[in-house]
Amino acid sequence: MKPQLRRVGSMQSPVVVIDNFCGSCDQAFAAAEAFAPFPPINRDSYYPGLRRVIDRADEPANAYVEDLCQRSAQFIAGAFDVEGFDLLEASFSMVTAKPSELREAQRAPHFDSTDQKYFALLHYLRIPDGTGTAFYRQRSTGIERVTEANIARFVTTAEKEAAMLPKDSGYIHGSNQFYEQIGAVEGVVDRLVIYQGSLLHSGIIPPA
């Protein structure tokens, strides 16, 4: 494994990047393929694609998830100063929505939780070139991490600005008039990325 600790934005938020995390993704590939076909897109979900949630009864997928969490624990502890964590949800996910199909909220960066100790672990498996994950600052408010104290201001501003984007704007790619990209991680097979879910982020999805 090749761990890196990066910091993004004016808040210098930690982003852990670990290459060659598993050494081989065969176990993960097999577990994901066993679930095919994935469930249809849930229109109530903000995720722009297919997602199969992994339950504890789903073996060997759950074994892969538990092993990933156990092996990443030392890096979470070191970067975020926590002594332990609970697994809330795990899934296999694929971005499949065409840019023209996106709703307003899907064309802008998002956050997962206002809890500053809610962490996202993203393990890249099969990915096309030019993809990854980017982190953002909302220009008009300066918000990089969404908290209970600033969520109302962020949401109000985000909704107003999303309505101003052209309907064919598609996935955000780099900075635009409303959001400044403050960091990015390239998608690489068997790369694990760990960051706070409160950080504004978006997948890097090329136009094609």
Side-chain angles (χ1 to χ4, degrees):
M1 290 189 289
K2 299 178 181 179
Q4 305 172 44
L5 177 59
R6 305 182 187 179
R7 295 190 178 275
V8 301
S10 60
M11 299 185 74
Q12 290 292 281
S13 299
V15 176
V16 179
V17 180
I18 309 170
D19 287 338
N20 302 314
F21 186 76
C22 290
S24 170
C25 293
D26 290 347
Q27 180 188 13
F29 291 155
E33 290 165 357
F35 289 142
F38 281 22
I41 295 175
N42 180 350
R43 296 308 299 175
D44 293 331
S45 170
Y46 285 104
Y47 186 75
L50 306 179
R51 173 164 281 171
R52 172 53 159 87
V53 174
I54 300 169
D55 296 322
R56 291 192 180 277
D58 292 325
E59 293 288 353
N62 188 62
Y64 152 69
V65 170
E66 290 193 356
D67 178 65
L68 185 148
C69 289
Q70 290 171 2
R71 294 170 61 191
S72 63
Q74 60 179 313
F75 303 107
I76 297 173
F80 302 100
D81 193 26
V82 295
E83 295 181 355
F85 61 91
D86 295 319
L87 173 63
L88 300 182
E89 183 180 277
S91 64
F92 289 117
S93 305
M94 296 187 296
V95 173
T96 59
K98 296 178 181 179
S100 60
E101 298 172 342
L102 298 180
R103 291 178 285 166
E104 287 182 354
Q106 294 172 321
R107 302 199 301 262
H110 64 278
F111 67 99
D112 302 327
S113 173
T114 58
D115 184 348
Q116 302 305 294
K117 290 190 176 182
Y118 179 105
F119 305 109
L121 282 71
L122 176 59
H123 190 207
Y124 294 110
L125 296 177
R126 288 181 176 138
I127 46 160
D129 293 336
T131 59
T133 301
F135 303 97
Y136 289 89
R137 174 188 300 115
Q138 190 179 49
R139 291 185 186 274
S140 57
T141 63
I143 293 173
E144 298 174 355
R145 291 205 309 251
V146 180
T147 67
E148 283 299 310
N150 66 24
I151 184 172
R153 185 159 53 110
F154 169 76
V155 170
T156 299
T157 304
E159 289 177 344
K160 175 183 175 183
E161 293 175 343
M164 298 169 64
L165 286 171
K167 293 188 181 300
D168 62 350
S169 60
Y171 294 95
I172 186 169
H173 204 277
S175 301
N176 65 16
Q177 65 268 46
F178 302 126
Y179 294 94
E180 178 187 358
Q181 182 175 304
I182 58 175
V185 177
E186 180 185 0
V188 175
V189 174
D190 201 20
R191 169 174 281 180
L192 183 73
V193 185
I194 308 171
Y195 54 91
Q196 291 163 284
S198 58
L199 259 177
L200 291 177
H201 60 278
S202 180
I204 300 173
I205 313 298

